[in-house]
Amino acid sequence: MTDRTAGQSAAAAHRTWTAGRAARELGLRRGEFDLAVQLGHIRTEPGASGRPPRVAESEVERLRRAEGFPGALRERVRTVGVMEGAQLISISPARFARLARTGHLTPVRFYLNRYRAVVWGYLADEIREFARSHPGLLSGRTPPAMRALLEEGVDRRARNWRGRRLGMLLRQTDDPWEQAAAITAVLDPVTVADVVADPYERAHLRQLRPELARVREESPAARAVVQRLLLADDPDELHWHRESLADTLRQARALRPAPRPSQSASGPGPSVPGRSVPGRSSPADPAPEQRPESRPRLRPSPRGSRRPRGRRSLLALLRRRVKLRCSPA
């Protein structure tokens, strides 16, 4: 390798591209690119000052030199629904749905159709691998254990998707505070407050919490459907995530404490129930102009000066006139 080639390689290693440009260079749609990043097929670098992650030019070149590019990369992130997935392994859509509901197939994404029904997407590569590993589940009678779960109405698709998505987020960082924030993305605020009692720690976790899924739905009903998919609801799942959050939080506290506002900080910190924060009035406290101690008080009149001066002068004039009338001529 010549010095010029080595210099070009070093320069390419330090140049980074936006996600949009990297997707175009790799021949991927934006959704395919995002999924490839989540699955670890494309390595990214943190953006400066909290900006979105970027892709090194050397990473793009590595993928472009891979065997079978670009078709192989696109096939690794190809997702299919129930109908197409059933066709891939030559089973009926009903059997495919039963396998997914009982947790044998884990979805990798979802969206809402025009009727606000949840449509799950599965990796085509994983479906083919499942068929090779479990040929007995593709035909014949449903196993008794699997049939019992179906009779109970078990549906593990949302739970398995949450676990998979959370695992993707945890693998993207080594910082325990960021990992704890990722765990809070699948827990409701009441559960988080029960595990994380410190309000400043909860505020720090809210700032670091990643996006579990992009919610583009505009109608309140559609947002409510998506919200139910994002939060853990099974008792075993809730217990697992609570314990994981508490354990990760202990590691984060040992590494460094959550940031707290100083006394001289200009911005107010998070509101604490039962505690007044400088610079912020509690909703239960009256406004400064409504507080009793801030109202102007009337000074009591000095003793002996309760009658107005004008009335006293009038009485004195009348008395003087009466004296003049009653005096002898």
Side-chain angles (χ1 to χ4, degrees):
M1 180 183 295
T2 63
D3 294 342
R4 181 178 180 181
T5 305
Q8 291 176 350
S9 301
H14 290 86
R15 285 198 298 266
T16 58
W17 291 346
T18 62
R21 181 178 177 183
R24 291 192 300 270
E25 294 291 334
L26 295 172
L28 299 175
R29 294 190 293 268
R30 184 56 189 268
E32 294 173 335
F33 176 85
D34 292 341
L35 184 56
V37 172
Q38 295 172 11
L39 295 173
H41 299 325
I42 301 177
R43 296 189 294 261
T44 61
E45 298 181 359
S49 304
R51 294 183 177 180
R54 298 175 67 87
V55 182
E57 184 177 346
S58 58
E59 174 69 4
V60 175
E61 293 301 323
R62 180 187 70 84
L63 295 169
R64 289 171 65 91
R65 290 192 302 266
E67 183 179 357
F69 177 85
L73 180 58
R74 297 196 67 174
E75 185 62 25
R76 294 170 73 182
V77 296
R78 184 166 74 95
T79 58
V80 295
V82 173
M83 299 297 295
E84 190 175 357
Q87 292 176 359
L88 279 177
I89 54 179
S90 302
I91 63 175
S92 67
R95 181 178 285 269
F96 186 96
R98 290 195 295 269
L99 291 171
R101 290 173 66 90
T102 52
H104 291 86
L105 296 171
T106 300
V108 72
R109 63 182 0 170
F110 72 89
Y111 70 91
L112 300 187
N113 62 13
R114 58 188 299 182
Y115 305 106
R116 292 199 294 270
V118 181
V119 179
W120 296 102
Y122 306 83
L123 286 174
D125 271 355
E126 288 186 354
I127 294 174
R128 286 190 288 261
E129 178 61 29
F130 172 81
R132 289 191 293 266
S133 303
H134 303 84
L137 294 176
L138 304 182
S139 60
R141 300 190 61 181
T142 303
M146 182 175 169
R147 188 166 55 249
L149 292 176
L150 293 171
E151 291 175 355
E152 294 176 4
V154 170
D155 189 348
R156 295 176 175 172
R157 290 175 293 184
R159 174 178 177 173
N160 287 351
W161 172 81
R162 284 191 296 266
R164 181 174 200 160
R165 182 72 181 101
L166 180 57
M168 294 176 181
L169 294 173
L170 293 177
R171 287 192 297 269
Q172 291 177 3
T173 178
D174 295 329
D175 183 76
W177 280 109
E178 294 181 356
Q179 292 178 342
I183 299 174
T184 63
V186 299
L187 297 173
D188 61 272
V190 176
T191 304
V192 174
D194 189 28
V195 179
V196 189
D198 192 320
Y200 293 103
E201 291 182 344
R202 292 200 303 270
H204 187 49
L205 293 176
R206 280 195 300 270
Q207 293 176 349
L208 297 176
R209 184 171 57 198
E211 188 178 47
L212 200 64
R214 293 180 181 176
V215 182
R216 300 187 181 93
E217 308 300 332
E218 297 181 357
S219 67
R223 286 197 299 268
V225 172
V226 174
Q227 192 66 21
R228 286 196 297 269
L229 298 177
L230 301 183
L231 298 180
D233 54 1
D234 185 81
D236 293 338
E237 182 187 10
L238 282 169
H239 177 74
W240 172 263
H241 290 316
R242 283 174 60 99
E243 293 298 319
S244 298
L245 176 59
D247 183 62
T248 309
L249 197 60
R250 284 191 290 268
Q251 300 177 25
R253 289 166 178 161
L255 180 66
R256 65 179 183 275
R260 296 173 179 270
S262 60
Q263 290 295 114
S264 59
S266 58
S271 58
V272 183
R275 185 186 302 175
S276 61
V277 180
R280 176 181 294 182
S281 299
S282 173
D285 294 338
E289 61 270 15
Q290 297 176 352
R291 293 174 183 167
E293 62 272 13
S294 62
R295 296 173 183 170
R297 297 181 179 179
L298 297 177
R299 295 182 179 179
S301 302
R303 186 174 299 177
S305 60
R306 292 183 179 180
R307 292 180 179 178
R309 179 177 298 179
R311 184 178 179 184
R312 186 175 57 200
S313 302
L314 179 61
L315 290 175
L317 179 61
L318 292 175
R319 288 172 183 171
R320 199 178 305 118
R321 289 184 178 179
V322 170
K323 288 181 179 180
L324 291 175
R325 289 179 182 180
C326 295
S327 59

